[in-house]
Amino acid sequence: MASPTPTNPAHAHFESFLQAQVCQDVLSSFQGLCRALDVEPGGGLPQYHKIKDQLNYWSAKSLWAKLDKRAGQPVYQQGRACTSTKCLVVGAGPCGLRAAVELALLGARVVLVEKRTKFSRHNVLHLWPFTIHDLRALGAKKFYGRFCTGTLDHISIRQLQLLLLKVALLLGVQIHWGVTFTGLQPPARKGNGWRAQLQPSPPAQLANYEFDVLISAAGGKFVPEGFTVREMRGKLAIGITANFVNGRTVEETQVPEISGVARIYNQSFFQSLLKATGIDLENIVYYKDDTHYFVMTAKKQCLLRLGVLRQDWPDTDRLLGSANVVPEALQRFARAAADFATHGKLGKLEFAQDAHGRPDISAFDFTSMMRAESSARVQEKHGARLLLGLVGDCLVEPFWPLGTGVARGFLAAFDAAWMVKRWAEGAGPLEVLAERESLYQLLSQTSPENMHRNVAQYGLDPATRYPNLNLRAVTPNQVRDLYDVVAKEPVRRKSDKTDAGKLATGSAGTQEELLHWCQEQTAGYPGVQVTDLAASWADGLALCALVHRLQPSLLEPSDLQGAGALEVTAWALKVAEQELGITPVLSAQAVVAGSDPLGLIAYLSHFHSAFRGKPHGPGPASQGSPGTPSAVLFLGKLQRTLQRTRAQVEAETPGTEEPPVPEPSMPPTPPPQHQEADAGDLCAICGEHLYILERLCADGRFFHRSCFHCHLCEATLWPSGYGQHPGDGHFYCLQHLPQPGHKEDGSTGGPEQLELPTPSEDSMPPVPSAPTAPQEGANPVPSPIQPTRRLIRLSSPERQRLSSLHLSPDPETEPPPKPPRSCSTLARQALEASFVGWGVPAQGPQGLPSSVLVDMEEEEGSSLSSEEEEEEDVALDSDLEQALLSLAKNSGTMNKYPTWRRTLLRRAKEEEMKRFCKAQAIQRRLNEIEAALRELEAEGVKLELALRSQSSSPEQQKTLWLEQLLQLVQKKNSLVAEEAELMITVKELNLEEKQWQLDQELRSYMNREETLKTAADQQAEDQVLRKLVDVVNQRDALIRFQEERRLSELASAGGAQG
């Protein structure tokens, strides 16, 4: 039923004000309301109280109640906390308007200037739970009825600006449109205040406005003078946003949104997209608001191939400039991607119009992001102090895939308003700045998971929002440089050197320290005398002794006596890589020939940084404290598993046993061609010279990091994420790796299809034998006697049967929680976890036999307690199957539990968003690591050229250069280790996504009537169950690896303390 048309002019203006959807309509209707009530606009909180008292209108009462509740919070002191404070806010974006609202609630006089004259940005913002609650408390539903209804957790920028603008106007904020802030005008003499330089010529009232607080929310391209901005660069990233007309038809409303899909953990979606359209993306998001909003990250090579970009330019501004982008091709690109992502259900996609009447689509670069090094400053001249604060994009430019922009922007607005309150209370400038910087340190770490859970208690006081708050994390002495007289220097932008500039933990230090450590580790081994870092390692025995000391179970140096130097060195390099995670930077030939002393020093420094905490002294290290398994080592084993799997598939004889390994009496396999002398100095792909910091070792060969990329998409290749095609010899990422036999089963060859390596898998390479018996007394200091081990190769069926066995661990070592193994238990858990707790009784459905429930409980208990043998993957028992089906049907009735359905959908959406945000944060960090590694390589090349040149530089200078080179090597190793850790997290996300998809597919089958299932349905259901068990097994392997590493780290830490 429509509301009656109001007869009171003020009521009519108020209704127009509520419903206005254009900026000019909002302003005109509000001015009409003020005229009708004889109220002067822009008068602060007194204006709000006058409007509320005079407008006795039923439609306004609920809005007044919400605003009064907010203004009544004790922190605002009834609007008297900042009555003597005058503020200027620059920028009417969401963050600027939100800051203005808080300042107005504090009682300050607030003037806002905005260079635009209308709101036209359709792009959609993701909202955290606290931002949704905050906006609802300000009356968002009154201004925008569709605000976050159902499972929606987003809003267009335009709508957000409109509703915040209405709140700001009601609270008495004075707003000036079409006015650009260009700088500050310091006081000319004592007694005057600070003013703003504005263009075009502002009205006299604004030109003469003197203020003591400036809040800048003008965006990342404008930061007030005096602030230093840091640039955080990553690999080239091209984003594309597109807004299509939303006709709000029934068909459009039924199209599900995409909270975020990332290629880093869901390769199958993007592989299908590439095959169907030729479009290669990193991620894609789809939100439905005033428009159908799509945002995606595209590959540069794909844009060039499809004609979106005319030419490839190294300069990003030129690459994405209007002259180099073909608008029609860009529109076709976005249409095709959006149509594929929504399965064509949106019908004809028509572009919405931007502010200039053109199709609302754009390509932008987010390779680099700006971050201010400080969030506030104080300037003083002629006794007049000015407090400057930053909020929004000029404080921190958000990384859009994380959906953190508006949430952290609001938090910064609250923190800035709290700073103004402390300023008005008379706190000292340094104290105010120190508190603000302490809060700024928390901003980049905030997420919905690590903030206070009760969003209803959030307020201006930081203690209501941040747990474990420390407002003294930054001391007043640390912010003295933020309190100065008029800053005359322009904004300083400096590149982020955090990764490339900081010293790595465990740096090798000086060459003498490294030599001393190597001597300690190799002491007591017969035939090993380390006197330098060159000739002493030529016979390979010193390297074998070092490996044996660090991990005695890997080899016995006595078995290598009499073997050739090249053979022994190659063996030691391979064992160190495959069992210790120490990747080589030079070939065995270079070690034996002594042709690359710098490379050998760099290689040994990696041992030192990784194992410097190991005990030393005569004799081998204790076997009870093995080296900590590293992520690099785990990924290396996973990559070799991938290669063996592909070899088995290509052989098309899965039952055939693997080729036998040569017996110890046989001569070892001669080194392959790529290990010829000086091979480590040349890139195996481009053939150009390789400097030490540039060397990347993969599959026994050395490459430039920039050369080792996917042959098709040119993406950087990481361990366990690539394969080499035997036909053309090129390397590919797993998404583009050609599949043997071209099977059309949707397989992508991704890591989710691999059996992850376990501690018993991927054994060491065979030890090369000596042609003569070891000499008497050649054994090192006595160590525990080890039985002679022989490598056993199993056929694929044998390995499959062996993988179902589970050996009991040591009683004192508590294993990590073990997922259930049977399909029935997995199915039961998947269903119960989804249904119980959301309005569904915990007991079984009516008519469910109690014996079945008991059997299910016993089955679950046995699967968790039995460690000797895993349950077989058997078909579901008929009684149990019927019980599960009954549970699914009785509990899953959507009509019976509408609230439960909405809650379940919201939770699923939140989990999807969490995975997407985590994946994008990893992707961004990987890009930053790659950029940092490029900087390290450039520095390392300069140092290496200086060291290798026959210059007359003094020895002291050369020693300094060598120490700097070693530091760069350690920084590189630290970044590579972090990169490997991130890749393991990616695999976890990949498996989580796979398990979620299989769980949904399984539920769809089990919800069907049993009598309606065909034989094909039964077969498909069994296949899904098997896949689900396989995914759980792989996740269990990752859990075991992480638990093994955690226990090893604890053991190492305990040994170091002892």
Short mmCIF file of all heavy atoms in Angstrom, two decimals, residues 33-71:
data_model
loop_
_atom_site.label_atom_id
_atom_site.label_comp_id
_atom_site.label_asym_id
_atom_site.label_seq_id
_atom_site.Cartn_x
_atom_site.Cartn_y
_atom_site.Cartn_z
N LEU A 33 13.70 21.89 2.18
CA LEU A 33 13.29 21.52 3.53
C LEU A 33 13.71 22.59 4.53
O LEU A 33 12.91 22.99 5.41
CB LEU A 33 13.90 20.17 3.90
CG LEU A 33 13.69 19.68 5.34
CD1 LEU A 33 12.20 19.43 5.61
CD2 LEU A 33 14.50 18.41 5.60
N CYS A 34 14.94 23.08 4.42
CA CYS A 34 15.43 24.11 5.35
C CYS A 34 14.64 25.42 5.19
O CYS A 34 14.34 26.10 6.18
CB CYS A 34 16.92 24.36 5.11
SG CYS A 34 17.97 22.97 5.63
N ARG A 35 14.32 25.77 3.94
CA ARG A 35 13.52 26.99 3.75
C ARG A 35 12.13 26.84 4.35
O ARG A 35 11.60 27.76 4.97
CB ARG A 35 13.41 27.30 2.25
CG ARG A 35 14.67 27.89 1.65
CD ARG A 35 14.40 28.49 0.27
NE ARG A 35 13.85 27.49 -0.64
CZ ARG A 35 14.59 26.74 -1.46
NH1 ARG A 35 15.92 26.88 -1.45
NH2 ARG A 35 14.03 25.87 -2.27
N ALA A 36 11.53 25.68 4.15
CA ALA A 36 10.19 25.47 4.69
C ALA A 36 10.18 25.52 6.21
O ALA A 36 9.17 25.92 6.82
CB ALA A 36 9.65 24.13 4.20
N LEU A 37 11.27 25.10 6.84
CA LEU A 37 11.35 25.10 8.30
C LEU A 37 12.05 26.34 8.84
O LEU A 37 12.23 26.46 10.08
CB LEU A 37 12.09 23.84 8.78
CG LEU A 37 11.45 22.50 8.43
CD1 LEU A 37 12.34 21.35 8.90
CD2 LEU A 37 10.06 22.37 9.05
N ASP A 38 12.49 27.25 7.94
CA ASP A 38 13.21 28.47 8.34
C ASP A 38 14.46 28.13 9.15
O ASP A 38 14.71 28.68 10.22
CB ASP A 38 12.29 29.39 9.14
CG ASP A 38 12.86 30.81 9.24
OD1 ASP A 38 13.71 31.16 8.38
OD2 ASP A 38 12.48 31.54 10.17
N VAL A 39 15.24 27.20 8.60
CA VAL A 39 16.49 26.77 9.25
C VAL A 39 17.64 27.05 8.30
O VAL A 39 17.54 26.78 7.09
CB VAL A 39 16.44 25.26 9.60
CG1 VAL A 39 17.78 24.79 10.12
CG2 VAL A 39 15.34 25.01 10.63
N GLU A 40 18.75 27.56 8.84
CA GLU A 40 19.93 27.84 8.03
C GLU A 40 20.74 26.54 7.88
O GLU A 40 21.17 25.96 8.88
CB GLU A 40 20.79 28.92 8.69
CG GLU A 40 21.98 29.36 7.87
CD GLU A 40 21.60 30.12 6.60
OE1 GLU A 40 20.48 30.71 6.58
OE2 GLU A 40 22.39 30.12 5.65
N PRO A 41 20.96 26.07 6.64
CA PRO A 41 21.74 24.82 6.47
C PRO A 41 23.20 25.03 6.85
O PRO A 41 23.72 26.13 6.79
CB PRO A 41 21.58 24.50 4.99
CG PRO A 41 21.29 25.80 4.34
CD PRO A 41 20.53 26.61 5.34
N GLY A 42 23.85 23.92 7.20
CA GLY A 42 25.27 23.97 7.53
C GLY A 42 25.55 24.54 8.90
O GLY A 42 26.65 25.02 9.15
N GLY A 43 24.60 24.42 9.80
CA GLY A 43 24.78 25.01 11.13
C GLY A 43 25.18 24.05 12.21
O GLY A 43 25.02 24.37 13.39
N GLY A 44 25.68 22.89 11.86
CA GLY A 44 26.13 21.94 12.87
C GLY A 44 24.99 21.24 13.56
O GLY A 44 23.84 21.23 13.10
N LEU A 45 25.28 20.65 14.73
CA LEU A 45 24.27 19.90 15.46
C LEU A 45 23.05 20.73 15.85
O LEU A 45 21.93 20.20 15.87
CB LEU A 45 24.89 19.27 16.71
CG LEU A 45 25.55 17.89 16.53
CD1 LEU A 45 26.01 17.35 17.87
CD2 LEU A 45 24.60 16.91 15.87
N PRO A 46 23.22 22.03 16.19
CA PRO A 46 22.01 22.82 16.47
C PRO A 46 21.01 22.81 15.31
O PRO A 46 19.80 22.81 15.53
CB PRO A 46 22.57 24.23 16.72
CG PRO A 46 23.94 23.99 17.26
CD PRO A 46 24.43 22.79 16.51
N GLN A 47 21.52 22.80 14.07
CA GLN A 47 20.63 22.71 12.91
C GLN A 47 19.84 21.41 12.93
O GLN A 47 18.64 21.40 12.66
CB GLN A 47 21.44 22.81 11.62
CG GLN A 47 20.65 22.46 10.35
CD GLN A 47 21.49 21.73 9.33
OE1 GLN A 47 22.28 22.37 8.65
NE2 GLN A 47 21.32 20.42 9.22
N TYR A 48 20.50 20.29 13.26
CA TYR A 48 19.82 18.99 13.32
C TYR A 48 18.69 19.02 14.35
O TYR A 48 17.57 18.55 14.09
CB TYR A 48 20.82 17.88 13.65
CG TYR A 48 20.18 16.60 14.10
CD1 TYR A 48 19.47 15.81 13.22
CD2 TYR A 48 20.26 16.19 15.44
CE1 TYR A 48 18.86 14.63 13.63
CE2 TYR A 48 19.66 15.02 15.86
CZ TYR A 48 18.95 14.25 14.95
OH TYR A 48 18.34 13.08 15.37
N HIS A 49 18.95 19.59 15.51
CA HIS A 49 17.94 19.61 16.56
C HIS A 49 16.76 20.49 16.15
O HIS A 49 15.60 20.16 16.46
CB HIS A 49 18.55 20.10 17.87
CG HIS A 49 19.53 19.13 18.46
ND1 HIS A 49 19.18 17.85 18.84
CD2 HIS A 49 20.86 19.24 18.72
CE1 HIS A 49 20.24 17.21 19.32
NE2 HIS A 49 21.28 18.04 19.27
N LYS A 50 17.02 21.58 15.44
CA LYS A 50 15.93 22.44 14.97
C LYS A 50 15.04 21.70 13.97
O LYS A 50 13.82 21.76 14.03
CB LYS A 50 16.50 23.71 14.33
CG LYS A 50 17.12 24.68 15.32
CD LYS A 50 17.69 25.90 14.58
CE LYS A 50 18.37 26.85 15.55
NZ LYS A 50 18.96 28.03 14.84
N ILE A 51 15.68 21.01 13.02
CA ILE A 51 14.90 20.26 12.03
C ILE A 51 14.08 19.17 12.72
O ILE A 51 12.88 18.98 12.43
CB ILE A 51 15.84 19.65 10.96
CG1 ILE A 51 16.50 20.74 10.13
CG2 ILE A 51 15.07 18.69 10.06
CD1 ILE A 51 17.50 20.23 9.12
N LYS A 52 14.70 18.46 13.65
CA LYS A 52 14.00 17.37 14.34
C LYS A 52 12.82 17.90 15.15
O LYS A 52 11.74 17.28 15.16
CB LYS A 52 14.98 16.63 15.26
CG LYS A 52 14.37 15.41 15.95
CD LYS A 52 15.35 14.76 16.89
CE LYS A 52 15.59 15.65 18.10
NZ LYS A 52 16.34 14.95 19.17
N ASP A 53 13.00 19.04 15.81
CA ASP A 53 11.93 19.59 16.64
C ASP A 53 10.76 20.10 15.79
O ASP A 53 9.59 19.98 16.19
CB ASP A 53 12.48 20.72 17.51
CG ASP A 53 13.46 20.21 18.56
OD1 ASP A 53 13.44 19.00 18.85
OD2 ASP A 53 14.27 21.02 19.06
N GLN A 54 11.07 20.69 14.63
CA GLN A 54 10.02 21.30 13.82
C GLN A 54 9.35 20.31 12.86
O GLN A 54 8.19 20.53 12.47
CB GLN A 54 10.59 22.48 13.02
CG GLN A 54 11.11 23.61 13.89
CD GLN A 54 11.57 24.80 13.08
OE1 GLN A 54 10.96 25.14 12.07
NE2 GLN A 54 12.67 25.42 13.50
N LEU A 55 10.07 19.26 12.48
CA LEU A 55 9.51 18.31 11.51
C LEU A 55 8.87 17.15 12.26
O LEU A 55 9.46 16.09 12.45
CB LEU A 55 10.61 17.81 10.57
CG LEU A 55 10.13 16.99 9.36
CD1 LEU A 55 9.27 17.84 8.42
CD2 LEU A 55 11.32 16.43 8.59
N ASN A 56 7.64 17.37 12.72
CA ASN A 56 6.90 16.33 13.44
C ASN A 56 6.15 15.49 12.42
O ASN A 56 4.94 15.62 12.23
CB ASN A 56 5.95 16.98 14.44
CG ASN A 56 5.30 15.94 15.33
OD1 ASN A 56 5.76 14.80 15.40
ND2 ASN A 56 4.21 16.31 15.97
N TYR A 57 6.93 14.60 11.76
CA TYR A 57 6.40 13.84 10.63
C TYR A 57 6.65 12.37 10.89
O TYR A 57 7.76 11.96 11.26
CB TYR A 57 7.08 14.32 9.35
CG TYR A 57 6.64 13.64 8.07
CD1 TYR A 57 5.31 13.33 7.83
CD2 TYR A 57 7.58 13.34 7.09
CE1 TYR A 57 4.92 12.73 6.65
CE2 TYR A 57 7.20 12.73 5.90
CZ TYR A 57 5.86 12.42 5.69
OH TYR A 57 5.48 11.82 4.51
N TRP A 58 5.61 11.56 10.72
CA TRP A 58 5.72 10.14 11.04
C TRP A 58 6.85 9.45 10.30
O TRP A 58 7.51 8.56 10.83
CB TRP A 58 4.39 9.44 10.74
CG TRP A 58 4.06 9.38 9.26
CD1 TRP A 58 3.36 10.27 8.54
CD2 TRP A 58 4.47 8.35 8.35
NE1 TRP A 58 3.27 9.91 7.23
CE2 TRP A 58 3.94 8.71 7.08
CE3 TRP A 58 5.19 7.17 8.47
CZ2 TRP A 58 4.15 7.95 5.94
CZ3 TRP A 58 5.39 6.40 7.34
CH2 TRP A 58 4.88 6.79 6.09
N SER A 59 7.10 9.85 9.06
CA SER A 59 8.13 9.19 8.26
C SER A 59 9.54 9.49 8.75
O SER A 59 10.47 8.77 8.42
CB SER A 59 8.00 9.61 6.80
OG SER A 59 8.93 8.95 5.98
N ALA A 60 9.68 10.54 9.55
CA ALA A 60 11.02 10.93 10.00
C ALA A 60 11.35 10.39 11.38
O ALA A 60 12.51 10.39 11.78
CB ALA A 60 11.13 12.46 10.01
N LYS A 61 10.35 9.92 12.12
CA LYS A 61 10.57 9.56 13.51
C LYS A 61 11.57 8.41 13.67
O LYS A 61 12.41 8.41 14.56
CB LYS A 61 9.24 9.21 14.18
CG LYS A 61 8.35 10.42 14.39
CD LYS A 61 7.05 10.05 15.10
CE LYS A 61 6.18 11.30 15.31
NZ LYS A 61 4.91 10.96 15.99
N SER A 62 11.46 7.40 12.81
CA SER A 62 12.40 6.27 12.93
C SER A 62 13.83 6.71 12.63
O SER A 62 14.79 6.22 13.25
CB SER A 62 11.99 5.15 11.98
OG SER A 62 12.00 5.59 10.64
N LEU A 63 13.99 7.66 11.71
CA LEU A 63 15.33 8.17 11.40
C LEU A 63 15.87 8.97 12.58
O LEU A 63 17.04 8.82 12.95
CB LEU A 63 15.27 9.03 10.14
CG LEU A 63 16.61 9.64 9.70
CD1 LEU A 63 17.64 8.54 9.40
CD2 LEU A 63 16.41 10.51 8.46
N TRP A 64 15.01 9.83 13.18
CA TRP A 64 15.49 10.59 14.34
C TRP A 64 15.90 9.65 15.47
O TRP A 64 16.89 9.90 16.17
CB TRP A 64 14.40 11.53 14.84
CG TRP A 64 13.83 12.53 13.89
CD1 TRP A 64 12.56 13.02 13.88
CD2 TRP A 64 14.50 13.18 12.79
NE1 TRP A 64 12.37 13.92 12.86
CE2 TRP A 64 13.57 14.05 12.17
CE3 TRP A 64 15.78 13.11 12.26
CZ2 TRP A 64 13.87 14.83 11.07
CZ3 TRP A 64 16.09 13.89 11.15
CH2 TRP A 64 15.16 14.72 10.57
N ALA A 65 15.16 8.57 15.64
CA ALA A 65 15.49 7.64 16.72
C ALA A 65 16.88 7.03 16.52
O ALA A 65 17.66 6.89 17.47
CB ALA A 65 14.43 6.54 16.79
N LYS A 66 17.21 6.67 15.29
CA LYS A 66 18.52 6.08 15.02
C LYS A 66 19.64 7.11 15.23
O LYS A 66 20.67 6.81 15.85
CB LYS A 66 18.57 5.53 13.59
CG LYS A 66 17.78 4.25 13.40
CD LYS A 66 17.95 3.70 12.01
CE LYS A 66 17.25 2.35 11.85
NZ LYS A 66 17.87 1.30 12.67
N LEU A 67 19.46 8.33 14.70
CA LEU A 67 20.50 9.34 14.83
C LEU A 67 20.66 9.78 16.29
O LEU A 67 21.78 10.03 16.76
CB LEU A 67 20.18 10.54 13.95
CG LEU A 67 20.21 10.27 12.43
CD1 LEU A 67 19.86 11.53 11.65
CD2 LEU A 67 21.58 9.74 11.99
N ASP A 68 19.54 9.86 17.03
CA ASP A 68 19.64 10.23 18.45
C ASP A 68 20.37 9.15 19.25
O ASP A 68 21.14 9.46 20.17
CB ASP A 68 18.23 10.43 19.03
CG ASP A 68 17.60 11.74 18.57
OD1 ASP A 68 18.36 12.60 18.05
OD2 ASP A 68 16.38 11.91 18.73
N LYS A 69 20.12 7.89 18.90
CA LYS A 69 20.81 6.81 19.60
C LYS A 69 22.30 6.88 19.37
O LYS A 69 23.10 6.69 20.30
CB LYS A 69 20.25 5.46 19.13
CG LYS A 69 20.86 4.27 19.86
CD LYS A 69 20.24 2.95 19.39
CE LYS A 69 20.88 1.77 20.12
NZ LYS A 69 20.29 0.48 19.66
N ARG A 70 22.70 7.18 18.14
CA ARG A 70 24.13 7.30 17.85
C ARG A 70 24.72 8.52 18.56
O ARG A 70 25.77 8.44 19.20
CB ARG A 70 24.34 7.43 16.33
CG ARG A 70 25.79 7.57 15.90
CD ARG A 70 26.53 6.26 15.98
NE ARG A 70 27.95 6.42 15.68
CZ ARG A 70 28.76 5.41 15.39
NH1 ARG A 70 28.28 4.18 15.36
NH2 ARG A 70 30.02 5.62 15.14
N ALA A 71 24.04 9.65 18.45
CA ALA A 71 24.57 10.88 19.07
C ALA A 71 24.56 10.81 20.58
O ALA A 71 25.29 11.55 21.24
CB ALA A 71 23.75 12.08 18.58
#
